[in-house]
Amino acid sequence: MASELGDGERPAATRRLAWVSRELVVIAAGSVGVILVAMTLQLSFGAYPLEPLDAWRTLANPAVLGNEAAWRAFLLGGTVPEYETGTLIVWTIRLPRVLVALLVGVNLAVSGAILQAITRNELASPFVLGVSSGAGLAVLLTVVVFAGLLPFLPLFAALGGGIAFLLVYAIAWQGGTNPVRLVLAGVIVSSVFGSIQTGLFLLIEDVGVAQGVVAWTAGSLVGADWAQVRMLLPWTVIAVGSAFAGARELNVLTLGEETADSLGLSVERVRFLLSAVAVLAAATSVAAAGIVGFVGLVVPHIVRRSVGTDHKRLLVGCAFAGPALLVAADAGARLALNPAQVPVGIVTGLLGGPYFLYLMRKHGGFGGFR
């Protein structure tokens, strides 16, 4: 009987995992490998160098892993217990930076995949459609003008990103939208918001603060700590979880409005809700790491070429590949000109800019979703 039950259960389990393809497994495994290599570099090298094995031993230190007070300080805030210098550097400086890169990479990649689906435009991303600029302006306004509202930074960033996205849609709308108008409207909104950000720099009197803001607008993980991890984690869970829950609706939206409507989908309501998810994911990343461009463009496109257009596979692939790209880019940004540190947004721009041009040439302009 037990054998018969087991045989009966296996087909159901197999059906539940039918969407997991070999290509998806390859992307996930390759991404994990890239993350581990980049993480080893991040943990080992710097002003306080450690051998790679020593860095991993420090990370696996039972005195930290089993210390409730340490985890309470990491996850809830507070004073970290006393440890030796190497342990403190790994656990309070280098590890949080890696974790922030992981969370930002997930958010940007998933946000890009959603925006590409709801606009049916393969060139859409938070950066290209002005969402990142809108969120960046809201964050900068909060920091410079409304410093007392810093605890609500992710919400203000989401509000700024949402306003930017609505402006892009309003500018591009002429009885409907198309990829050309959406991208051009995104360029317009990004330019205007970028000019306002530049003007706000004039209100900053402290030179050190101004330099930090400039680095932040270029996308930087310098100084990332457990506070950013605590800020990112709950919003990332909400945004990514909501994206996975809407994978079926994303598949239907890519078929076109008429087909989606004929299948019983409330197109405008679903598009609005999923847009809100994409904006929240991108804006939270901007609040933590600044304006990191092209991750939301490059990662979904590369993953889609491997796993196809099923958004359950696509979103899972993005959740692995996005962090891999950003952690690797940040490792390069941190170590390429050591001891000077290049903002990670410059590295992703150098990678993403040529890829964006490649997509434009491939589609004969601004192309549509395929």
Side-chain angles (χ1 to χ4, degrees):
M1 178 68 70
S3 175
E4 291 177 0
L5 287 174
D7 292 340
E9 290 172 356
R10 271 194 291 271
T14 301
R15 286 196 300 272
R16 285 195 295 270
L17 295 176
W19 58 274
V20 179
S21 65
R22 182 180 63 181
E23 293 79 7
L24 179 59
V25 173
V26 169
I27 285 178
S31 298
V32 170
V34 170
I35 290 171
L36 290 176
V37 171
M39 188 173 178
T40 300
L41 295 174
Q42 291 275 47
L43 296 178
S44 303
F45 297 101
Y48 188 93
L50 293 168
E51 291 295 325
L53 286 178
D54 290 337
W56 282 102
R57 289 193 191 100
T58 301
L59 194 62
N61 187 350
V64 181
L65 292 176
N67 190 329
E68 181 182 346
W71 284 106
R72 190 162 53 247
F74 296 150
L75 299 178
L76 301 177
T79 303
V80 178
E82 290 293 331
Y83 293 106
E84 63 178 348
T85 302
T87 300
L88 286 174
I89 288 175
V90 168
W91 275 92
T92 64
I93 298 177
R94 295 178 182 174
L95 178 61
R97 179 166 177 163
V98 173
L99 295 178
V100 170
L102 291 172
L103 294 172
V104 169
V106 169
N107 279 322
L108 291 177
V110 168
S111 177
I114 294 173
L115 290 175
Q116 289 175 12
I118 63 178
T119 62
R120 301 185 68 238
N121 180 1
E122 203 173 52
L123 303 183
S125 75
F127 185 78
V128 173
L129 293 184
V131 175
S132 294
S133 295
L137 177 58
V139 170
L140 193 57
L141 277 171
T142 305
V143 171
V144 175
V145 183
F146 307 108
L149 299 175
L150 286 177
F152 305 98
L153 199 59
L155 293 178
F156 284 108
L159 178 62
I163 290 173
F165 187 64
L166 291 175
L167 280 174
V168 168
Y169 242 89
I171 293 171
W173 185 269
Q174 293 181 5
T177 62
N178 64 36
V180 175
R181 291 202 300 270
L182 278 172
V183 173
L184 292 178
V187 171
I188 293 169
V189 171
S190 294
S191 298
V192 172
F193 282 14
S195 298
I196 297 173
Q197 288 180 36
T198 302
L200 286 175
F201 292 155
L202 300 176
L203 301 178
I204 304 175
E205 298 179 356
D206 190 316
V207 175
V209 173
Q211 289 177 339
V213 170
V214 170
W216 174 84
T217 56
S220 177
L221 295 174
V222 176
D225 58 18
W226 284 101
Q228 275 92 344
V229 176
R230 292 192 294 271
M231 180 181 70
L232 276 167
L233 189 58
W235 301 106
T236 300
V237 171
I238 292 171
V240 175
S242 300
F244 287 147
R248 176 185 172 276
E249 285 74 14
L250 289 171
N251 285 338
V252 177
L253 282 175
T254 58
L255 300 176
E257 290 189 12
E258 293 185 2
T259 303
D261 187 64
S262 69
L263 293 173
L265 188 71
S266 179
V267 174
E268 293 303 326
R269 182 175 68 87
V270 169
R271 180 180 286 157
F272 175 80
L273 292 175
L274 290 171
S275 297
V277 171
V279 168
L280 176 63
T284 303
S285 298
V286 171
I291 302 174
V292 180
F294 293 109
V295 175
L297 170 70
V298 172
V299 172
H301 187 266
I302 292 176
V303 173
R304 188 182 297 109
R305 287 171 63 91
S306 299
V307 305
T309 57
D310 179 7
H311 279 79
K312 184 177 287 189
R313 291 195 191 108
L314 179 60
L315 290 171
V316 171
C318 287
F320 281 95
L325 173 61
L326 201 57
V327 173
D330 188 47
R334 178 170 168 249
L335 300 175
L337 299 177
N338 190 46
Q341 297 193 37
V342 179
V344 67
I346 292 178
V347 177
T348 59
L350 290 173
L351 296 173
Y355 198 81
F356 184 74
L357 291 175
Y358 157 74
L359 289 180
M360 288 174 57
R361 291 182 63 85
K362 174 186 174 184
H363 293 293
F366 289 101
F369 187 93
R370 294 184 183 181

